[in-house]
Amino acid sequence: MSDLPGIVVMGASGRMGQMLINEVLANDKARLVGALERPGHDWVGRDVGECMGGQPVGVTVTDDALTTMAKAQAVIDFTAPAATVDMAEIAAQARAVHVIGTTGLTDEDLEKIALAGRHATIVRAGNMSLGVNLLVQLTKQVAAALDEDFDIEIIESHHHHKVDAPSGTALMLGEAAADGRGVELAEVSDRGRDGITGARKRGDIGFHAVRGGDIVGEHDVMFAAPGERIVLRHLATDRAIFARGAVKAALWGQDKKPGEYSMLDVLGL
């Protein structure tokens, strides 16, 4: 067992954190070597298995990222932008694969992560699921095949706890659509219309966010032209798909050179 890649999970107490821990524990190609939480959290100092309501697993929750990362080969991070940026530096020092599923990252955050990528292997994606990454590829292909007679609208729905909008996945889809058309998303993005906005600008890519209940994640990419519409859709019903993808990325990155990679690289798409 000791020769299997050791994985650390950040944000151990969160919904995704607990799902990631269970996924690592169930995987026969990896081992859980660390569970991180913020200083002062009531899980710190306790066995993570017991904290999750189960049997002890021999891993104590800690707030000491540097010491924990020193014994790991990968860290999986679905936390908050500030924590992710800090972890990128620590993971780079430890030469550990940093799998980032955090959304809401600013351009400044991404620049700092890119600097860490000079010395560490980073796999970053707004969504870790196989289906969504296939949808990204399809969106790019359809956008490249259709001209601006087809308006592009991206509609995403998530649970009422989600704090950022548009979702990271919606932005991935927008980037794919813009790439397919050979334009910069920042120049054609149109977010959440309200009031007297005037007619839709030809060539824009629209974004709309729905928040409610316990929706795991739903994404539609609509290509609408006079007389016809094409709708590409992905529905997520279980967060485990993200955890499985993240663990797959952590294992895939073990023999890769420093740099930034995406789930498309992991999946060979």
Side-chain angles (χ1 to χ4, degrees), residues 15 155-162 167 209-220 233-239 242:
R15 285 176 298 174
I155 306 98
E156 54 100 343
S157 302
H158 284 86
H159 52 87
H160 58 213
H161 295 292
K162 188 166 180 62
S167 69
V210 175
R211 297 290 177 266
D214 61 355
I215 302 170
V216 174
E218 301 179 0
H219 293 85
D220 291 298
R233 164 172 277 198
H234 180 269
L235 305 178
T237 58
D238 187 345
R239 287 185 179 82
F242 312 129

Side-chain angles (χ1 to χ4, degrees), residues 4-259:
L4 296 177
I7 296 178
V8 172
V9 173
M10 285 189 66
S13 70
R15 285 176 298 174
M16 271 307 301
Q18 294 186 51
M19 195 163 288
L20 286 162
I21 288 167
N22 283 327
E23 193 65 34
V24 175
L25 290 171
N27 195 300
D28 61 4
K29 296 180 180 177
R31 57 195 174 96
L32 183 70
V33 298
L36 289 169
E37 259 303 341
R38 66 184 181 276
H41 194 281
D42 60 7
W43 280 26
V44 173
R46 300 167 56 196
D47 186 283
V48 71
E50 293 180 333
C51 290
M52 292 168 55
Q55 296 298 314
V57 297
V59 174
T60 300
V61 181
T62 179
D63 58 11
D64 186 347
L66 186 58
T67 300
T68 304
M69 283 304 304
K71 58 186 178 183
Q73 284 71 54
V75 57
I76 303 179
D77 179 357
F78 283 70
T79 56
T84 294
V85 170
D86 288 343
M87 180 53 65
E89 297 180 8
I90 296 172
Q93 292 177 38
R95 297 296 189 268
V97 177
H98 189 185
V99 178
I100 300 174
T102 302
T103 58
L105 295 163
T106 65
D107 289 342
E108 183 179 355
D109 294 332
L110 294 175
E111 288 175 5
K112 293 177 180 177
I113 290 170
L115 287 175
R118 295 179 181 179
H119 308 288
T121 301
I122 296 173
V123 181
R124 183 177 63 82
N127 193 301
M128 296 282 175
S129 89
L130 171 60
V132 160
N133 282 279
L134 288 172
L135 178 61
V136 169
Q137 287 296 85
L138 289 171
T139 297
K140 180 178 178 179
Q141 292 175 13
V142 174
L146 302 175
D147 62 22
E148 292 184 350
D149 287 341
F150 282 81
D151 299 321
I152 302 175
E153 296 284 312
I154 298 171
I155 306 98
E156 54 100 343
S157 302
H158 284 86
H159 52 87
H160 58 213
H161 295 292
K162 188 166 180 62
V163 298
D164 58 309
S167 69
T169 303
L171 293 173
M172 284 172 60
L173 294 166
E175 291 285 1
D179 195 20
R181 285 204 166 159
V183 297
E184 293 293 328
L185 180 60
E187 297 176 0
V188 297
S189 178
D190 187 4
R191 308 280 184 92
R193 306 177 189 93
D194 183 33
I196 307 300
T197 62
R200 189 188 197 282
K201 183 179 177 183
R202 180 179 171 87
D204 275 358
I205 297 175
F207 290 87
H208 309 277
V210 175
R211 297 290 177 266
D214 61 355
I215 302 170
V216 174
E218 301 179 0
H219 293 85
D220 291 298
V221 184
M222 180 174 67
F223 298 84
E228 61 180 331
R229 282 178 293 166
I230 299 168
V231 180
L232 305 177
R233 164 172 277 198
H234 180 269
L235 305 178
T237 58
D238 187 345
R239 287 185 179 82
I241 62 174
F242 312 129
R244 286 194 291 270
V247 174
K248 182 181 179 72
L251 296 175
W252 174 87
Q254 291 304 306
D255 60 352
K256 302 302 182 293
K257 295 179 180 180

